[in-house]
DNA sequence: TATGAATGAGATTTCATTCAT
DNA sequence: AATGAATGAAATCTCATTCAT
């Protein structure tokens, strides 16, 4: 019954998003996932492993989502727009996932090497999009990671501010932000 | 001996940066600050209060630092450059402070209203800088908070990536990033 | 294994009797009951709840014991004698229980309303005994609670004095005390 | 400034009455008495000594109060009435004192030998009253302590019930209770 | 004599993990 | 495979006592 594994992952993510890293106990995860405490340990070696798995699972999901309908070999404003909107929509639809990721990446669980490998594995097409654009003289002369960061990753903090209610955005502002991101990476 | 309070705050910040929110225990803070456990409770009502105080203390410090040598009534590329570099240098010199802030803001301790009030109190000059520039037709037509976010706040995630060793930057790239930020907020 | 709950209750009662309310720690209760500290919290939400439960458990036990072989609808000297002796024997056989109750009732845990409800629930037959006697013109014209108090409850302090070794009693004195109690409540 | 000592004693008594033995900390006593924490230790060796002193101080006060206007060499109903009413009024006027005493006597601080000595010292006239009455054939053939207990000490639990609001008494009932006490100790 | 900041042992409570069923 | 009661180490917080001022 592999959906138990899924339920446990989702429960952990939600709990961290709402109660923070300290607020997540294995007992609470079990209750939220509707399984027994011991059951968690049949799917995950320990708490740390569970947290790492949530992270990886979500990276996989994000990468799949944001590349939807994007042709990464043809860098253009239209492709970029699709990429940017996919990212935004995912973040808005999954505030727990975002909240989790930010806490995870700032925590000591986060491991540079492992992260680089996962990035490479899951976000290769995204990086390729920026590489192609840079090599065609469209984007600034920077490593693809930096272009990706400038264009997409700052949406994370922005989304968090929206979710927490610090900023309110409307269609006009979204248009402006998309445009700002495009201008930031554009050569000249 | 009011420097005890300072030592406790610094110890808490460092520990959170290195061990995460969950890894920071009051015992460890006491040891790191070289005081007895009970002493912490003479200065801070409980753990939550301590964490909130670290947050406020650092906001105060950041705002003082990044406004150094900036005339906020004259928005110009030179002033912007100073602001951006101040921010960058502060973040690089105080990676713990950054790491702390990100975790704090993603945690359930974070309170929207309180945060807005503190932002208004401490970062008023920064917001004024962007307001003046916008009203003069220099910057995009956006709330000052958003301009500030686009220009400066994404430096937070970027710095974190550097600190964690995911990205390496040199002078040329810094120049590019400064330019990218400027282009992002510029009207036209 | 529901006898664990029983063991915890008994351990708490004994410890309070011997070490006082302040001397009873959850660690000691656990050791005395031969369970782990955490186990207590599976059965009782917190220390206060545990103390309240000890109280209720013992009220239940007392009421059952002192009504043994007493027909409460026939108030007479013989019935009274049985009631009085039952009470005395229970107190002598369970000095811990007594010591606990006195401390509990003098402590701030004690809640008037809750107590009145428990009294009504558990000691109804005792009160009826005194009511019937009063209505038949045998006992003084007083609320049943007061008659019960005069006749039985002062045995509590008396027993405590014996337990603590302040007073020594023999059969002759018991006879006298029983007689004194009877005279106290008798009309005329 | 010996009134500091008095203030500390009063503060300890009040706190125990209201917050229980566990609720009384030396810090709270200091605050309530309006002195510094360390000052308490100039007057009392430690917490236990302080608690014992409160006890003794109050015994002294009670004995002085209840013997007011009583001629202990002439046992009679009038003298008894005065004694009984003095006791009642003291208890009603000083519910904290009562509440303290009950908790103290049930606690492990209470020491049989010391208590007997203090009783003898402070309540000698009361015991003499009952001895004279017994030797004159007026009261039951019992040790004076027991007569005193039957006549007066059960007022303690009764008063506590009133203070806690479990029982309400009026003049008629007081008259009845006084009469009941008298009947209890009377020979025949 | 009086103060109150500081101490650190100890109290209550939580929670990751195990294991008999 | 799944359960959830039990564990006990560790976390937070309190408080009797000391001591420099």
């Amino acid at each position: 019954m592999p959906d138990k594994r899924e339920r446990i992952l989702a429960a952990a993510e939600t709990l961290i998003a709402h109660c923070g890293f300290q607020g997540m106990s294995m007992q609470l995860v079990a209750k939220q996932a509707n399984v027994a405490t011991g059951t968690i340990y049949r799917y995950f070696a320990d708490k740390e492993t569970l947290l790492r798995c949530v992270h990886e699972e979500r990276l996989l999901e994000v990468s799949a989502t944001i590349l939807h309908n994007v042709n990464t070999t043809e860098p253009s404003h239209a492709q970029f727009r699709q990429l940017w909107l996919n990212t935004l929509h995912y973040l808005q639809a999954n505030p727990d996932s975002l909240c989790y990721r930010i806490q995870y990446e700032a925590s000591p669980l986060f491991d540079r090497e492992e992260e680089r490998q996962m990035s490479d594995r899951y976000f290769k097409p995204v990086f390729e999009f920026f590489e192609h654009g840079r090599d065609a003289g469209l984007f600034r002369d920077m490593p693809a990671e930096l272009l990706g960061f400038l264009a997409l990753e700052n949406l994370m903090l922005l989304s968090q501010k929206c979710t927490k209610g610090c900023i309110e955005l409307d269609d006009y502002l979204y248009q402006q932000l998309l445009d700002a991101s495009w201008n930031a990476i554009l050569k000249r």
Side-chain angles (χ1 to χ4, degrees), chain A:
Chain A
M1 205 191 289
D3 98 293
K4 267 186 188 159
R5 204 187 111 98
E6 209 31 67
R7 264 154 50 203
I8 293 168
L9 287 168
E13 183 180 68
T14 301
L15 280 168
I16 292 219
H18 292 156
C19 320
F21 257 72
Q22 328 93 294
M24 188 213 87
S25 77
M26 297 301 259
Q27 268 92 347
L28 277 177
V29 171
K31 187 169 290 181
Q32 172 98 2
N34 224 30
V35 300
T37 335
T39 305
I40 299 178
Y41 289 83
R42 297 211 66 79
Y43 293 97
F44 305 95
D46 52 20
K47 193 180 184 184
E48 184 171 326
T49 304
L50 168 59
L51 293 174
R52 287 191 193 285
C53 286
V54 174
H55 183 59
E56 179 155 10
E57 197 84 358
R58 292 309 171 237
L59 280 192
L60 188 61
E61 194 179 290
V62 181
S63 71
T65 307
I66 72 174
L67 286 165
H68 190 66
N69 285 336
V70 177
N71 179 348
T72 61
T73 59
E74 290 185 17
S76 69
H77 186 269
Q79 302 282 351
F80 175 79
R81 180 186 152 86
Q82 185 71 49
L83 203 52
W84 196 90
L85 288 174
N86 283 345
T87 307
L88 181 71
H89 293 153
Y90 178 80
L91 292 173
Q92 290 182 330
N94 301 276
D96 287 356
S97 168
L98 169 67
C99 212
Y100 177 85
R101 183 173 170 195
I102 288 179
Q103 289 187 77
Y104 179 86
E105 294 194 348
S107 83
L109 287 182
F110 183 82
D111 177 78
R112 163 173 43 156
E113 260 327 299
E114 200 182 359
E115 189 70 8
R116 196 186 288 254
Q117 282 169 24
M118 288 207 290
S119 259
D120 284 358
R121 200 176 326 140
Y122 299 132
F123 292 100
K124 210 173 159 212
V126 180
F127 294 144
E128 282 170 357
F129 173 83
F130 289 109
E131 268 162 21
H132 292 158
R134 182 194 58 201
D135 297 345
L138 183 63
F139 299 148
R140 286 174 180 277
D141 180 25
M142 283 175 156
E145 291 89 6
L146 263 182
L147 289 169
F149 173 81
L150 277 178
L152 303 176
E153 211 149 350
N154 58 8
L155 274 175
M156 279 181 29
L157 279 188
L158 184 65
S159 267
Q160 183 174 273
K161 280 192 186 281
C162 291
T163 301
K164 297 263 181 181
C166 294
I167 285 184
E168 285 188 26
L169 300 176
D170 55 25
D171 280 351
Y172 171 71
L173 288 172
Y174 281 130
Q175 191 51 52
Q176 290 267 34
L177 287 166
L178 170 54
D179 198 42
S181 289
W182 178 252
N183 281 351
I185 57 172
L186 219 57
K187 189 159 198 165
R188 182 95 335 251

